Amino acid sequence: MSKMDEVRKAMMQALKNKEMDRKETLSLLLSALKAKYIDKREDLTEEEENAIILKEIKQTQETMENAPDGRDDILTECKNRLEVLNEFAPKMMDETEIKQVIQSVLDQLGITQPTVKDKGIIMKNLMPLVKGKADGGLVNRLVGEYLK
């Protein structure tokens, strides 16, 4: 079952349960998925669906960060929205898993003592393996720890 079908099913259940805030969030997510589907004119891959969900999460987090002081209603709405969106988000890799992938890329490239000059080639080979599964900033920081 695609994410679009899962979201649609969850939205219908929220509607039946009269959970309007949840239904609204799911409706927005479904709209984003449908828009990409229409633009592409074919079924979305799992990576594309996950990218859309992560984008929605990031936008909601930015809204929370930029909310004016004293606007607790915005913060509450964003927290509720994040809770719903995280149900559909892909499982993110933790630091240990990312370090394992970094080490496998280093082994694959034959780099035993990585330097700053190697960072470009390492990231070029690493990012396709972790895209949509790990935070890019965290990956960048962990690669930096390997560099001498």
Side-chain angles (χ1 to χ4, degrees):
M1 182 185 303
S2 73
K3 292 276 190 198
M4 203 178 311
D5 294 334
E6 288 179 36
V7 172
R8 188 176 291 118
K9 184 178 177 183
M11 187 175 77
M12 296 308 282
Q13 188 61 46
L15 194 59
K16 288 177 185 176
N17 296 343
K18 295 183 175 37
E19 300 170 319
M20 290 318 198
D21 290 341
R22 179 177 172 79
K23 183 247 170 218
E24 183 179 325
T25 299
L26 292 169
S27 178
L28 290 171
L29 179 57
L30 185 60
S31 294
L33 290 166
K34 280 183 179 178
K36 181 68 174 179
Y37 172 78
I38 291 169
D39 287 347
K40 189 177 175 189
R41 295 186 179 149
E42 61 183 56
D43 290 339
L44 301 176
T45 64
E46 186 176 346
E47 290 82 22
E48 290 170 327
E49 291 174 334
N50 289 339
I52 292 167
I53 294 167
L54 293 174
K55 180 181 175 187
E56 292 293 320
I57 289 172
K58 185 175 181 179
Q59 287 176 342
T60 304
Q61 289 170 337
E62 289 174 357
T63 301
M64 280 181 73
E65 292 169 6
N66 296 327
D69 291 337
R71 291 296 309 264
D72 294 334
D73 57 326
I74 294 175
L75 295 177
T76 303
E77 181 182 340
C78 287
K79 286 178 186 175
N80 293 338
R81 185 170 288 173
L82 281 174
E83 195 175 293
V84 174
L85 292 172
N86 282 325
E87 292 176 26
F88 297 94
K91 180 189 172 290
M92 299 302 274
M93 298 172 78
D94 61 12
E95 285 191 28
T96 308
E97 293 171 317
I98 296 170
K99 286 180 180 180
Q100 290 172 347
V101 175
I102 293 171
Q103 190 58 54
S104 71
V105 168
L106 290 174
D107 294 343
Q108 178 185 357
L109 295 172
I111 300 173
T112 55
Q113 297 292 321
T115 63
V116 176
K117 291 180 183 177
D118 299 321
K119 186 174 184 175
I121 189 91
I122 293 168
M123 292 300 279
K124 180 180 175 185
N125 287 280
L126 176 64
M127 287 312 290
L129 300 174
V130 298
K131 185 173 182 161
K133 300 175 190 169
D135 177 52
L138 177 61
V139 172
N140 190 32
R141 183 177 60 81
L142 293 176
V143 168
E145 291 175 7
Y146 278 84
L147 304 178
K148 301 282 189 244

